[in-house]
Every structure is written in C-alpha cells, then in structure tokens.
Amino acid sequence: MPGMAPAIVIAGAGECGTRAAFALREEGWDGPVILAGAEPSPPYERPPLSKTGELKPICDEDSLREAGITFLPGTEAARLDTAAHVLELADGRRLPYRSLLLATGARARRLPFGGGTQVHVLRTHADSVALRERLTPGRRVAVIGGGFIGLELASSAAALGCAVTVIELGPRLMGRAVPAQVAAVMAERHIAAGVDIRCGTGVTALAQTASGVAITLAEGATVEADVVIAGVGAAPETSLAETAGIDTADGIAVDARFATSAPDVFAAGDCCRYPHPLYDDRLLRLESWRAAQEHGTAAARAMLGGTEPYAGVPWFWTDQHDYSLQVAGLADAASREVVRVRPDGVEIWFGLADAGRLVAAAAAGPGNSVAKDIKLAEMLIARRAAPDPAALADPGVGLKSVLRSPVAS
Ligand SMILES: Cc1cc2nc3c(=O)[nH]c(=O)nc-3n(C[C@H](O)[C@H](O)[C@H](O)COP(=O)(O)OP(=O)(O)OC[C@H]3O[C@@H](n4cnc5c(N)ncnc54)[C@H](O)[C@@H]3O)c2cc1C
C-alpha cells in the first residue's frame, strides 16, 4: 500500500501463493506481507471442484488477519516494473515490493471451436458452479480430453446419473503422465460404471443444435450432447512476467530456488518451470496440488535468503469413481518397468532408469489402497535408490526392506 515499507508481495492467492504467505510468517518474517488474488473469494482448494464439487477453503479471512497477511481478494495484478520494484494493480494502486512472488497458476485451455454456452471448462469455483448446475440425471455429457480433470468429471457426472462419453485424441487415457498399465485399470473402472470411452479420435467440429451440441469426430461419427466439457489441459499464467521482460518458456523460467530472471522476483506453483535436481535438472512444469504447496514454502524460504534447491519428488493423485490413482516421480524418465502384483490384485508399477535407479512408481486401486506403497516408493525415489528389480516385483518382499537398497551413483 502507498506509504507502507516495502513488503513481500504475492500475486495469486491459490494453493501456492497462500502457502507462501503463511510460510513467510513460519520462517520468521515479521514485515508486511500482501497477498493479492484475482478471484473474489478467500483462497480455496481446486481438487474438490472436479470430484465432489464442494468449496473447500484453504483458510478463512480471520486466519489471514491473525497472521498479519494483508489479503486483497478480487484484485488483479496488471503490470510489473522490475527496475522500480513495483507491482501495479488493475485498479491503479501501486505496491512497492522488497521481494515479489508470482503464483498466478494456470488457466484452462479452450477448444478452438464454438459450441456456445453448453461448452464448459473447469479451473475455478465459478466454473464449477456453472457446470454442476447442468449435471442433472439423464443429461448427455461429452468430455473432450481423457486427462485427470476430464476423467474426474466423467466419474462425477456418471454418479449424478448423466450419460457420459469421453473423447480422447491419444490412443489411451491419461497418456501424458500415467503408465499405460495403470491407466488401463482406470479405463476399465470407467467402462464398468457405464462411461463410453472413445480413444484415438479427435474432434473436428462442434455445432449447436436445437437440443444441444453435435460433436463431429475425425472419422465422421457424431456424438450428441447436452453438456460438453473441454478437459484439454491448462496453460501457465505467464502474462505479467512476459510483459515485464522476464524469461518464460511454457511457464515462468526459474532456478531451483524459484528465482526468475528479474532481481527479487520469484515464481512458483503451476505457473513456473523449474530444473529438478533428481532428474538431471530436467525442466518441469507440474500441475500438482502438493507441488504447489511445497513450492510456496520453498519460495518463501528463498525470498528470505534461503539457498537450498527444491528437490521434492513429483507426486499427484486423482480420484475417479471409487478408485484412487497415484504417481510418484516421472514415469517418462523410466526406460524399464517392473510390476508387483499384490495378493489383493492391485498392481504397483515401478519405472527404472538405465542405471537401475527407481525414478517413478504408479498404481490405481479401490479407495486408499495404493497410498502406502506409493509413499514407500516415493522415499526410494528421493534416496536415488537402485533396488533389486526382483525384490520390487516380489509381493512377498516388503517395500520397507527395499528401502535399505543401495543408492545409485
Ligand atoms: C479442477 C481441478 C482439480 C485438480 N485436482 C487435482 C488432484 O486431484 N491432484 C493434484 O495433485 N492436483 C490437482 N489439481 C491441480 C492443483 O489444484 C494445482 O496444481 C494447484 O491449484 C496449483 O496451485 P497454484 O497456486 O500454482 O495455482 P492456482 O491454484 O491456479 O492459483 C493461482 C491463482 O492466481 C490468480 N491469478 C492469476 N493471475 C493473477 C493476477 N494477474 N493477479 C492476481 N491473481 C492472479 C488466479 O485467479 C488463481 O486464483 C487440480 C486442479 C484443478 C483445476
């Protein structure tokens, strides 16, 4: 605020920005903290939006006040002057900063077709409210894109009594980050729940009809729907950084402590692209709830002078029907796979790199049944362990004992 000593300013009050604000206090910063968020509500969790649809706050305004965080809801950061160290808001206010964190997240990609008001995307609570009121029993719902959010919505819509079709361009579901074997478990679960899964087919046109939307598929077939959901991914929100001349490339480019190319400007969460020390400094842009939180904490430390690189193991989960899927590490970093079939039939997939190092693990199963094994695998990944593949495959060998495996060089 004008007249105030330079503050630590955070643009974006989502998972990452909010966590960073509290972490600044936990780390002992007692100067001003300003958290400016474009959305009108107090910070909330996005994962429930595609699952139950509930609005789950991250914190309320009282806890922000008690922590001495100046929260500015409905406030868009419009321009950044990196030389003057000033963030300008859309309403014209100017916030001088000591350090600035860009935690602007991502926005849902849209389809390059029309289709009118029947076509929905899901990123915000407002999107969720607009979509949920249309998911009534008997409605025909077409989900374009077989990624996590599309599939979670397919499962929610089926549970609400809708007739659901999923249309995926790739040869299988969740092709980006989930091994084929694990994705197949979820595909079967969808089919058992009555979801019509169509992979290997693109959409070429959407047209509004008297009763809804006609979706034309590449091979010429048409799918009729009352509600269309575009689950075609998200694009990092980089515009503030770009117009300020900060380096970006599919995300705001940062180092392993979330520093951007501009002095005292940091970026973290879904909007950033960072080098990962566990994967030969490969540049990653994650869209993951836990990563967004961890980035927030790590960026807060870095803004206070911390020098430790962030090396958290990538991890995410998705819930579809009564199944949960978890992935730890990066499945596409693996050159070899090993599968453990547990006595309950659940398969745990392990991905090994050339030197035998465990770089990823994934599994899908009922309820919370895969959580413990994936947690142990995550610990192995963090330790750069090179476990004996036979031990990994053998359900009789506890993963805890595998934790004593040698470390890859
Ligand atoms: C529907 C849905 C379901 C998900 N489910 C899962 C899941 O099951 N598991 C999982 O691991 N992850 C899941 N995720 C991903 C996870 O929620 C995100 O990775 C996480 O929210 C990212 O946090 P963030 O703070 O970086 O960005 P966001 O949560 O996107 O927050 C960014 C905030 O910045 C604001 N903003 C943008 N530009 C400006 C500006 N110029 N000025 C001020 N404010 C600005 C935005 O309005 C937004 O509120 C899901 C995401 C969605 C959308």
Side-chain angles (χ1 to χ4, degrees):
M1 302 283 120
M4 214 183 237
I8 297 185
V9 174
I10 301 170
E15 198 68 52
C16 177
T18 307
R19 178 84 285 276
F22 283 101
L24 286 167
R25 293 291 182 236
E26 288 153 16
E27 296 292 322
W29 167 253
D30 58 8
V33 176
I34 301 175
L35 177 64
E39 292 185 72
S41 53
Y44 64 89
E45 307 266 2
R46 291 185 203 283
L49 299 179
S50 46
K51 300 173 181 71
T52 57
E54 78 177 299
L55 178 61
K56 187 174 171 205
I58 293 173
C59 61
D60 57 22
E61 295 201 52
D62 284 348
S63 43
L64 287 159
R65 237 189 325 272
E66 278 159 23
I69 297 164
T70 306
F71 174 51
L72 307 176
T75 301
E76 196 181 330
R79 213 179 65 84
L80 169 58
D81 183 338
T82 58
H85 280 56
V86 170
L87 181 71
E88 194 176 312
L89 304 178
D91 60 16
R93 279 179 291 174
R94 289 165 60 79
L95 303 181
Y97 60 80
R98 166 198 188 269
S99 311
L100 170 70
L101 176 63
L102 300 174
T104 47
R107 69 190 123 81
R109 288 187 206 277
R110 291 180 182 268
L111 293 168
F113 315 107
T117 53
Q118 282 97 337
V119 181
H120 293 258
V121 294
L122 178 60
R123 180 79 199 176
T124 65
H125 180 244
D127 295 337
S128 174
V129 169
L131 172 60
R132 294 265 162 188
E133 65 190 26
R134 307 214 53 233
L135 299 182
T136 50
R139 282 253 164 91
R140 298 162 304 172
V141 175
V143 177
I144 301 178
F148 309 114
I149 290 177
L151 291 172
E152 289 188 351
L153 286 171
S155 133
S156 301
L160 290 166
C162 302
V164 185
T165 305
V166 174
I167 302 160
E168 165 58 42
L169 180 62
R172 65 174 178 86
L173 301 179
M174 298 179 281
R176 264 201 314 158
V178 177
Q181 184 156 350
V182 180
V185 174
M186 276 303 198
E188 273 171 35
R189 186 65 196 87
H190 279 281
I191 292 164
V195 176
D196 180 3
I197 303 273
R198 305 201 192 174
C199 290
T201 186
V203 171
T204 56
L206 295 186
Q208 264 185 293
T209 63
S211 62
V213 181
I215 303 166
T216 308
L217 304 183
E219 75 267 18
T222 300
V223 173
E224 297 275 346
D226 303 304
V227 181
V228 177
I229 298 169
V232 290
E237 188 51 81
T238 57
S239 52
L240 261 179
E242 267 169 54
T243 50
I246 293 173
D247 293 346
T248 63
D250 181 32
I252 304 170
V254 294
D255 65 15
R257 42 188 295 280
F258 300 102
T260 70
S261 59
D264 305 315
V265 180
F266 296 76
D270 281 16
C271 69
C272 82
R273 191 172 176 83
Y274 68 104
H276 203 298
L278 271 179
Y279 296 92
D280 299 326
D281 287 336
R282 175 171 154 187
L283 296 177
L284 297 183
R285 194 177 73 75
L286 300 180
E287 288 166 19
S288 145
W289 174 83
R290 196 179 78 181
Q293 281 191 358
E294 292 181 354
H295 288 191
T297 304
R301 289 187 184 139
M303 288 192 286
L304 299 177
T307 54
E308 203 183 324
Y310 169 72
V313 176
W315 176 87
F316 71 84
W317 93 101
T318 170
D319 296 333
Q320 298 167 31
H321 305 285
D322 49 356
Y323 271 43
S324 188
L325 183 161
Q326 295 194 11
V327 180
L330 299 178
D332 67 358
S335 52
R336 184 174 162 207
E337 55 186 30
V338 173
V339 175
R340 161 180 295 223
V341 184
R342 295 194 322 209
D344 62 359
V346 169
E347 296 175 352
I348 312 290
W349 178 97
F350 298 98
L352 305 172
D354 288 341
R357 209 185 105 201
L358 184 69
V359 289
N368 207 23
S369 60
V370 305
K372 192 170 154 214
D373 283 343
I374 298 298
K375 181 73 209 160
L376 289 166
E378 188 191 323
M379 290 162 77
L380 286 164
I381 296 167
R383 287 179 193 192
R384 299 172 187 260
D388 173 10
L392 283 181
D394 183 352
V397 178
L399 286 177
K400 265 197 187 150
S401 70
V402 181
L403 269 171
R404 291 188 286 272
S405 306
V407 168
S409 53

PDB file of all heavy atoms in Angstrom, residues 303-325:
ATOM      1  N   MET A 303      12.860 -16.327  -0.704  1.00  0.00           N
ATOM      2  CA  MET A 303      12.680 -14.868  -0.640  1.00  0.00           C
ATOM      3  C   MET A 303      13.330 -14.286   0.608  1.00  0.00           C
ATOM      4  O   MET A 303      13.676 -13.121   0.649  1.00  0.00           O
ATOM      5  CB  MET A 303      11.188 -14.512  -0.689  1.00  0.00           C
ATOM      6  CG  MET A 303      10.590 -14.722  -2.064  1.00  0.00           C
ATOM      7  SD  MET A 303       8.945 -13.985  -2.236  1.00  0.00           S
ATOM      8  CE  MET A 303       7.945 -15.112  -1.297  1.00  0.00           C
ATOM      9  N   LEU A 304      13.484 -15.138   1.637  1.00  0.00           N
ATOM     10  CA  LEU A 304      14.137 -14.672   2.870  1.00  0.00           C
ATOM     11  C   LEU A 304      15.630 -14.987   2.856  1.00  0.00           C
ATOM     12  O   LEU A 304      16.292 -14.902   3.890  1.00  0.00           O
ATOM     13  CB  LEU A 304      13.451 -15.310   4.085  1.00  0.00           C
ATOM     14  CG  LEU A 304      11.959 -14.949   4.233  1.00  0.00           C
ATOM     15  CD1 LEU A 304      11.343 -15.677   5.412  1.00  0.00           C
ATOM     16  CD2 LEU A 304      11.778 -13.437   4.383  1.00  0.00           C
ATOM     17  N   GLY A 305      16.151 -15.411   1.718  1.00  0.00           N
ATOM     18  CA  GLY A 305      17.602 -15.623   1.587  1.00  0.00           C
ATOM     19  C   GLY A 305      18.044 -17.071   1.568  1.00  0.00           C
ATOM     20  O   GLY A 305      19.239 -17.347   1.475  1.00  0.00           O
ATOM     21  N   GLY A 306      17.097 -17.996   1.670  1.00  0.00           N
ATOM     22  CA  GLY A 306      17.459 -19.428   1.654  1.00  0.00           C
ATOM     23  C   GLY A 306      18.115 -19.802   0.337  1.00  0.00           C
ATOM     24  O   GLY A 306      17.787 -19.247  -0.714  1.00  0.00           O
ATOM     25  N   THR A 307      19.039 -20.745   0.398  1.00  0.00           N
ATOM     26  CA  THR A 307      19.779 -21.111  -0.819  1.00  0.00           C
ATOM     27  C   THR A 307      19.571 -22.570  -1.218  1.00  0.00           C
ATOM     28  O   THR A 307      20.097 -23.020  -2.222  1.00  0.00           O
ATOM     29  CB  THR A 307      21.293 -20.896  -0.620  1.00  0.00           C
ATOM     30  OG1 THR A 307      21.678 -21.604   0.555  1.00  0.00           O
ATOM     31  CG2 THR A 307      21.627 -19.421  -0.477  1.00  0.00           C
ATOM     32  N   GLU A 308      18.794 -23.311  -0.421  1.00  0.00           N
ATOM     33  CA  GLU A 308      18.654 -24.744  -0.695  1.00  0.00           C
ATOM     34  C   GLU A 308      17.785 -24.983  -1.940  1.00  0.00           C
ATOM     35  O   GLU A 308      16.683 -24.429  -2.043  1.00  0.00           O
ATOM     36  CB  GLU A 308      17.986 -25.410   0.508  1.00  0.00           C
ATOM     37  CG  GLU A 308      18.294 -26.881   0.584  1.00  0.00           C
ATOM     38  CD  GLU A 308      17.558 -27.514   1.761  1.00  0.00           C
ATOM     39  OE1 GLU A 308      17.435 -26.848   2.799  1.00  0.00           O
ATOM     40  OE2 GLU A 308      17.102 -28.652   1.594  1.00  0.00           O
ATOM     41  N   PRO A 309      18.280 -25.798  -2.897  1.00  0.00           N
ATOM     42  CA  PRO A 309      17.434 -26.077  -4.060  1.00  0.00           C
ATOM     43  C   PRO A 309      16.246 -26.958  -3.671  1.00  0.00           C
ATOM     44  O   PRO A 309      16.350 -27.788  -2.768  1.00  0.00           O
ATOM     45  CB  PRO A 309      18.370 -26.816  -5.026  1.00  0.00           C
ATOM     46  CG  PRO A 309      19.478 -27.341  -4.183  1.00  0.00           C
ATOM     47  CD  PRO A 309      19.573 -26.487  -2.955  1.00  0.00           C
ATOM     48  N   TYR A 310      15.138 -26.786  -4.362  1.00  0.00           N
ATOM     49  CA  TYR A 310      13.948 -27.605  -4.096  1.00  0.00           C
ATOM     50  C   TYR A 310      14.071 -28.924  -4.864  1.00  0.00           C
ATOM     51  O   TYR A 310      14.318 -28.919  -6.075  1.00  0.00           O
ATOM     52  CB  TYR A 310      12.696 -26.850  -4.538  1.00  0.00           C
ATOM     53  CG  TYR A 310      11.459 -27.708  -4.541  1.00  0.00           C
ATOM     54  CD1 TYR A 310      10.870 -28.101  -3.341  1.00  0.00           C
ATOM     55  CD2 TYR A 310      10.903 -28.150  -5.729  1.00  0.00           C
ATOM     56  CE1 TYR A 310       9.751 -28.906  -3.337  1.00  0.00           C
ATOM     57  CE2 TYR A 310       9.773 -28.961  -5.730  1.00  0.00           C
ATOM     58  CZ  TYR A 310       9.212 -29.336  -4.527  1.00  0.00           C
ATOM     59  OH  TYR A 310       8.105 -30.150  -4.519  1.00  0.00           O
ATOM     60  N   ALA A 311      13.896 -30.027  -4.156  1.00  0.00           N
ATOM     61  CA  ALA A 311      14.069 -31.338  -4.809  1.00  0.00           C
ATOM     62  C   ALA A 311      12.935 -32.295  -4.465  1.00  0.00           C
ATOM     63  O   ALA A 311      13.116 -33.509  -4.491  1.00  0.00           O
ATOM     64  CB  ALA A 311      15.408 -31.939  -4.395  1.00  0.00           C
ATOM     65  N   GLY A 312      11.751 -31.760  -4.141  1.00  0.00           N
ATOM     66  CA  GLY A 312      10.612 -32.621  -3.785  1.00  0.00           C
ATOM     67  C   GLY A 312      10.267 -33.574  -4.919  1.00  0.00           C
ATOM     68  O   GLY A 312      10.250 -33.184  -6.090  1.00  0.00           O
ATOM     69  N   VAL A 313       9.969 -34.811  -4.577  1.00  0.00           N
ATOM     70  CA  VAL A 313       9.600 -35.802  -5.595  1.00  0.00           C
ATOM     71  C   VAL A 313       8.226 -35.427  -6.165  1.00  0.00           C
ATOM     72  O   VAL A 313       7.274 -35.234  -5.401  1.00  0.00           O
ATOM     73  CB  VAL A 313       9.535 -37.223  -4.984  1.00  0.00           C
ATOM     74  CG1 VAL A 313       9.053 -38.244  -6.007  1.00  0.00           C
ATOM     75  CG2 VAL A 313      10.886 -37.623  -4.418  1.00  0.00           C
ATOM     76  N   PRO A 314       8.101 -35.305  -7.493  1.00  0.00           N
ATOM     77  CA  PRO A 314       6.776 -35.020  -8.059  1.00  0.00           C
ATOM     78  C   PRO A 314       5.774 -36.096  -7.618  1.00  0.00           C
ATOM     79  O   PRO A 314       6.119 -37.284  -7.586  1.00  0.00           O
ATOM     80  CB  PRO A 314       7.017 -35.093  -9.578  1.00  0.00           C
ATOM     81  CG  PRO A 314       8.487 -34.829  -9.746  1.00  0.00           C
ATOM     82  CD  PRO A 314       9.135 -35.421  -8.525  1.00  0.00           C
ATOM     83  N   TRP A 315       4.591 -35.681  -7.265  1.00  0.00           N
ATOM     84  CA  TRP A 315       3.567 -36.631  -6.811  1.00  0.00           C
ATOM     85  C   TRP A 315       2.191 -36.052  -7.102  1.00  0.00           C
ATOM     86  O   TRP A 315       1.965 -34.863  -6.918  1.00  0.00           O
ATOM     87  CB  TRP A 315       3.704 -36.858  -5.297  1.00  0.00           C
ATOM     88  CG  TRP A 315       2.635 -37.738  -4.721  1.00  0.00           C
ATOM     89  CD1 TRP A 315       2.651 -39.103  -4.650  1.00  0.00           C
ATOM     90  CD2 TRP A 315       1.378 -37.324  -4.138  1.00  0.00           C
ATOM     91  NE1 TRP A 315       1.491 -39.557  -4.063  1.00  0.00           N
ATOM     92  CE2 TRP A 315       0.687 -38.483  -3.744  1.00  0.00           C
ATOM     93  CE3 TRP A 315       0.771 -36.087  -3.922  1.00  0.00           C
ATOM     94  CZ2 TRP A 315      -0.571 -38.452  -3.141  1.00  0.00           C
ATOM     95  CZ3 TRP A 315      -0.484 -36.051  -3.334  1.00  0.00           C
ATOM     96  CH2 TRP A 315      -1.138 -37.226  -2.934  1.00  0.00           C
ATOM     97  N   PHE A 316       1.303 -36.862  -7.569  1.00  0.00           N
ATOM     98  CA  PHE A 316      -0.088 -36.421  -7.655  1.00  0.00           C
ATOM     99  C   PHE A 316      -1.020 -37.610  -7.514  1.00  0.00           C
ATOM    100  O   PHE A 316      -0.610 -38.761  -7.644  1.00  0.00           O
ATOM    101  CB  PHE A 316      -0.366 -35.648  -8.956  1.00  0.00           C
ATOM    102  CG  PHE A 316      -0.373 -36.509 -10.177  1.00  0.00           C
ATOM    103  CD1 PHE A 316      -1.514 -37.207 -10.567  1.00  0.00           C
ATOM    104  CD2 PHE A 316       0.761 -36.628 -10.945  1.00  0.00           C
ATOM    105  CE1 PHE A 316      -1.518 -38.013 -11.684  1.00  0.00           C
ATOM    106  CE2 PHE A 316       0.773 -37.436 -12.073  1.00  0.00           C
ATOM    107  CZ  PHE A 316      -0.363 -38.123 -12.442  1.00  0.00           C
ATOM    108  N   TRP A 317      -2.245 -37.267  -7.218  1.00  0.00           N
ATOM    109  CA  TRP A 317      -3.266 -38.311  -7.145  1.00  0.00           C
ATOM    110  C   TRP A 317      -4.489 -37.854  -7.935  1.00  0.00           C
ATOM    111  O   TRP A 317      -4.657 -36.672  -8.219  1.00  0.00           O
ATOM    112  CB  TRP A 317      -3.647 -38.570  -5.690  1.00  0.00           C
ATOM    113  CG  TRP A 317      -4.829 -37.766  -5.225  1.00  0.00           C
ATOM    114  CD1 TRP A 317      -6.116 -38.198  -5.089  1.00  0.00           C
ATOM    115  CD2 TRP A 317      -4.848 -36.370  -4.861  1.00  0.00           C
ATOM    116  NE1 TRP A 317      -6.929 -37.159  -4.665  1.00  0.00           N
ATOM    117  CE2 TRP A 317      -6.175 -36.033  -4.526  1.00  0.00           C
ATOM    118  CE3 TRP A 317      -3.867 -35.384  -4.793  1.00  0.00           C
ATOM    119  CZ2 TRP A 317      -6.556 -34.760  -4.124  1.00  0.00           C
ATOM    120  CZ3 TRP A 317      -4.241 -34.099  -4.399  1.00  0.00           C
ATOM    121  CH2 TRP A 317      -5.571 -33.803  -4.066  1.00  0.00           C
ATOM    122  N   THR A 318      -5.294 -38.813  -8.322  1.00  0.00           N
ATOM    123  CA  THR A 318      -6.597 -38.486  -8.901  1.00  0.00           C
ATOM    124  C   THR A 318      -7.596 -39.521  -8.401  1.00  0.00           C
ATOM    125  O   THR A 318      -7.265 -40.699  -8.249  1.00  0.00           O
ATOM    126  CB  THR A 318      -6.550 -38.458 -10.448  1.00  0.00           C
ATOM    127  OG1 THR A 318      -7.898 -38.369 -10.964  1.00  0.00           O
ATOM    128  CG2 THR A 318      -5.887 -39.677 -11.069  1.00  0.00           C
ATOM    129  N   ASP A 319      -8.813 -39.068  -8.120  1.00  0.00           N
ATOM    130  CA  ASP A 319      -9.893 -39.973  -7.687  1.00  0.00           C
ATOM    131  C   ASP A 319     -10.918 -40.061  -8.799  1.00  0.00           C
ATOM    132  O   ASP A 319     -11.418 -39.024  -9.264  1.00  0.00           O
ATOM    133  CB  ASP A 319     -10.593 -39.420  -6.434  1.00  0.00           C
ATOM    134  CG  ASP A 319      -9.667 -39.354  -5.240  1.00  0.00           C
ATOM    135  OD1 ASP A 319      -8.708 -40.142  -5.187  1.00  0.00           O
ATOM    136  OD2 ASP A 319      -9.898 -38.502  -4.357  1.00  0.00           O
ATOM    137  N   GLN A 320     -11.215 -41.270  -9.218  1.00  0.00           N
ATOM    138  CA  GLN A 320     -12.229 -41.470 -10.256  1.00  0.00           C
ATOM    139  C   GLN A 320     -13.089 -42.653  -9.829  1.00  0.00           C
ATOM    140  O   GLN A 320     -12.559 -43.715  -9.506  1.00  0.00           O
ATOM    141  CB  GLN A 320     -11.559 -41.730 -11.608  1.00  0.00           C
ATOM    142  CG  GLN A 320     -10.712 -40.525 -12.064  1.00  0.00           C
ATOM    143  CD  GLN A 320      -9.782 -40.829 -13.213  1.00  0.00           C
ATOM    144  OE1 GLN A 320     -10.072 -41.668 -14.051  1.00  0.00           O
ATOM    145  NE2 GLN A 320      -8.655 -40.127 -13.258  1.00  0.00           N
ATOM    146  N   HIS A 321     -14.406 -42.453  -9.802  1.00  0.00           N
ATOM    147  CA  HIS A 321     -15.332 -43.435  -9.232  1.00  0.00           C
ATOM    148  C   HIS A 321     -14.838 -43.750  -7.811  1.00  0.00           C
ATOM    149  O   HIS A 321     -14.472 -42.841  -7.089  1.00  0.00           O
ATOM    150  CB  HIS A 321     -15.439 -44.669 -10.129  1.00  0.00           C
ATOM    151  CG  HIS A 321     -15.820 -44.278 -11.540  1.00  0.00           C
ATOM    152  ND1 HIS A 321     -17.094 -43.899 -11.876  1.00  0.00           N
ATOM    153  CD2 HIS A 321     -15.084 -44.164 -12.672  1.00  0.00           C
ATOM    154  CE1 HIS A 321     -17.134 -43.576 -13.161  1.00  0.00           C
ATOM    155  NE2 HIS A 321     -15.925 -43.729 -13.667  1.00  0.00           N
ATOM    156  N   ASP A 322     -14.761 -45.044  -7.448  1.00  0.00           N
ATOM    157  CA  ASP A 322     -14.295 -45.360  -6.088  1.00  0.00           C
ATOM    158  C   ASP A 322     -12.818 -45.754  -6.103  1.00  0.00           C
ATOM    159  O   ASP A 322     -12.338 -46.383  -5.167  1.00  0.00           O
ATOM    160  CB  ASP A 322     -15.165 -46.488  -5.507  1.00  0.00           C
ATOM    161  CG  ASP A 322     -15.310 -47.651  -6.480  1.00  0.00           C
ATOM    162  OD1 ASP A 322     -14.803 -47.552  -7.627  1.00  0.00           O
ATOM    163  OD2 ASP A 322     -15.930 -48.668  -6.108  1.00  0.00           O
ATOM    164  N   TYR A 323     -12.105 -45.394  -7.149  1.00  0.00           N
ATOM    165  CA  TYR A 323     -10.687 -45.721  -7.268  1.00  0.00           C
ATOM    166  C   TYR A 323      -9.836 -44.471  -7.104  1.00  0.00           C
ATOM    167  O   TYR A 323     -10.252 -43.366  -7.467  1.00  0.00           O
ATOM    168  CB  TYR A 323     -10.388 -46.328  -8.651  1.00  0.00           C
ATOM    169  CG  TYR A 323     -10.545 -47.833  -8.705  1.00  0.00           C
ATOM    170  CD1 TYR A 323     -11.619 -48.460  -8.088  1.00  0.00           C
ATOM    171  CD2 TYR A 323      -9.628 -48.622  -9.382  1.00  0.00           C
ATOM    172  CE1 TYR A 323     -11.771 -49.836  -8.142  1.00  0.00           C
ATOM    173  CE2 TYR A 323      -9.767 -49.995  -9.448  1.00  0.00           C
ATOM    174  CZ  TYR A 323     -10.844 -50.604  -8.820  1.00  0.00           C
ATOM    175  OH  TYR A 323     -10.986 -51.957  -8.880  1.00  0.00           O
ATOM    176  N   SER A 324      -8.631 -44.692  -6.595  1.00  0.00           N
ATOM    177  CA  SER A 324      -7.674 -43.605  -6.497  1.00  0.00           C
ATOM    178  C   SER A 324      -6.407 -44.033  -7.225  1.00  0.00           C
ATOM    179  O   SER A 324      -6.015 -45.204  -7.158  1.00  0.00           O
ATOM    180  CB  SER A 324      -7.385 -43.321  -5.017  1.00  0.00           C
ATOM    181  OG  SER A 324      -6.605 -42.169  -4.913  1.00  0.00           O
ATOM    182  N   LEU A 325      -5.812 -43.110  -7.937  1.00  0.00           N
ATOM    183  CA  LEU A 325      -4.581 -43.382  -8.684  1.00  0.00           C
ATOM    184  C   LEU A 325      -3.515 -42.424  -8.157  1.00  0.00           C
ATOM    185  O   LEU A 325      -3.792 -41.243  -7.939  1.00  0.00           O
ATOM    186  CB  LEU A 325      -4.840 -43.139 -10.171  1.00  0.00           C
ATOM    187  CG  LEU A 325      -3.751 -43.410 -11.204  1.00  0.00           C
ATOM    188  CD1 LEU A 325      -4.394 -43.553 -12.597  1.00  0.00           C
ATOM    189  CD2 LEU A 325      -2.680 -42.358 -11.284  1.00  0.00           C
TER     190      LEU A 325
END
